[in-house]
Amino acid sequence: MKKSLFAIGCAALISASTAFADGGMFEAWLPENMTADVVAAVKFTRMQFSNWKLEDGTSSYTWLFSYDADLKNHWSVVDWRNKLNLALGYTWTDGLGKRKSSDKIFYETMADFNVSEKIKPYVGARFESQFTRGYDYSEDEDGNEIKTTISHFMAPGYVTQMAGVGYFPNDNFSTRLAFANRMTIVNDDSDTYAYADDKDTKKVEKFKDEPGLESITEFKYAFSDIVNFKSRLWAFVNFKGFDQIDGRWENLLVVSLSPLFEFQVGYDIAYDKDLDEDSQHKNMILVGVTWRWF
């Protein structure tokens, strides 16, 4: 039975490798008026120590699932783009237990009207949240762990509507400026979540509506057939003042080690005054199995 499963797995990998070499598993099914970049990936690392006295070591494992889809339909009047980014990952460390390392739900849809080749008005909407609960970890006087829920699905959730103008000089670079309405939603009765709360009022608000200006700049570049880089800079400022700015800069370098394996280096910077007065930083180095659809 195990040999049969192993043979089936090898056959699937060989078949997938052949398809990936042509650009993606479902590349032949892509409509002529559509361009797509869709990748599913699973990353896993494991370190296990048992009576290992040669050097210090702590047993641990990390897994991460991600799904990135960027689809664009082209028509003479309008281009319709849909982006979906999903990620969920955990790390287990001996002595600490399980901790969440990644959790993201991001969906964005935009329609660009082709009034000219490089300058186009557009409208769009975006939804952002997470899958599972996030915790703050502390200890009581006896050293026992205390887990305090600080976030979960729709706590917070962000819904943004925007309308503006974009500049598209080439296929690798674009920048947009729009009037945007950003809504922060907290679907919970607890007072723990202050994401939508106005600190100047006694009431704990569960909904916040912020009209303002939004900027999105995207850049991508293929150094070769196996090395790609992409970057996205997002900024939002409400009409209360420029000290209310939120922003996120995401960078990702991808090296295709083989049709099924990728090496990734990522670095993100985020700032949200409602969450923290200081900027937030995240960097990652990952190697894992990838399944390219398109």
Side-chain angles (χ1 to χ4, degrees), residues 258-289:
S258 73
L260 284 173
F261 292 92
E262 283 187 350
F263 170 74
Q264 296 183 351
V265 179
Y267 181 66
D268 297 353
I269 305 174
Y271 178 78
D272 189 329
K273 189 177 181 180
D274 296 330
L275 301 181
D276 200 302
E277 293 288 343
D278 296 325
S279 59
Q280 305 170 61
H281 302 260
K282 181 177 77 172
N283 62 77
M284 60 180 183
I285 299 176
L286 297 168
V287 178
V289 178

Side-chain angles (χ1 to χ4, degrees), residues 213-233:
L213 291 175
E214 178 183 81
S215 171
I216 303 173
T217 300
E218 294 178 300
F219 173 74
K220 61 181 180 180
Y221 185 75
F223 293 95
S224 67
D225 292 338
I226 64 171
V227 181
N228 293 274
F229 173 78
K230 61 181 180 180
S231 179
R232 184 179 191 270
L233 176 62

Side-chain angles (χ1 to χ4, degrees), residues 170-190:
N170 52 59
D171 293 336
N172 293 329
F173 178 84
S174 67
T175 185
R176 304 170 183 264
L177 181 64
F179 292 101
N181 188 65
R182 182 169 170 84
M183 299 183 295
T184 304
I185 304 167
V186 177
N187 186 22
D188 196 283
D189 294 331
S190 171

Side-chain angles (χ1 to χ4, degrees), residues 52-117:
W52 189 255
K53 299 178 180 179
L54 295 177
E55 57 197 47
D56 187 23
T58 302
S59 298
S60 65
Y61 70 80
T62 299
W63 65 264
L64 171 66
F65 164 79
S66 64
Y67 181 83
D68 296 324
D70 190 349
L71 308 174
K72 194 169 185 179
N73 289 85
H74 304 273
W75 292 286
S76 59
V77 177
V78 65
D79 290 344
W80 182 29
R81 184 185 185 188
N82 289 277
K83 292 188 65 177
L84 177 64
N85 301 133
L86 307 175
L88 182 62
Y90 281 89
T91 295
W92 176 87
T93 304
D94 189 20
L96 290 177
K98 187 171 66 174
R99 299 284 194 272
K100 187 167 63 172
S101 59
S102 184
D103 193 354
K104 181 179 182 180
I105 302 174
F106 177 97
Y107 173 68
E108 184 176 73
T109 180
M110 292 186 292
D112 303 325
F113 298 95
N114 299 321
V115 297
S116 70
E117 183 178 352

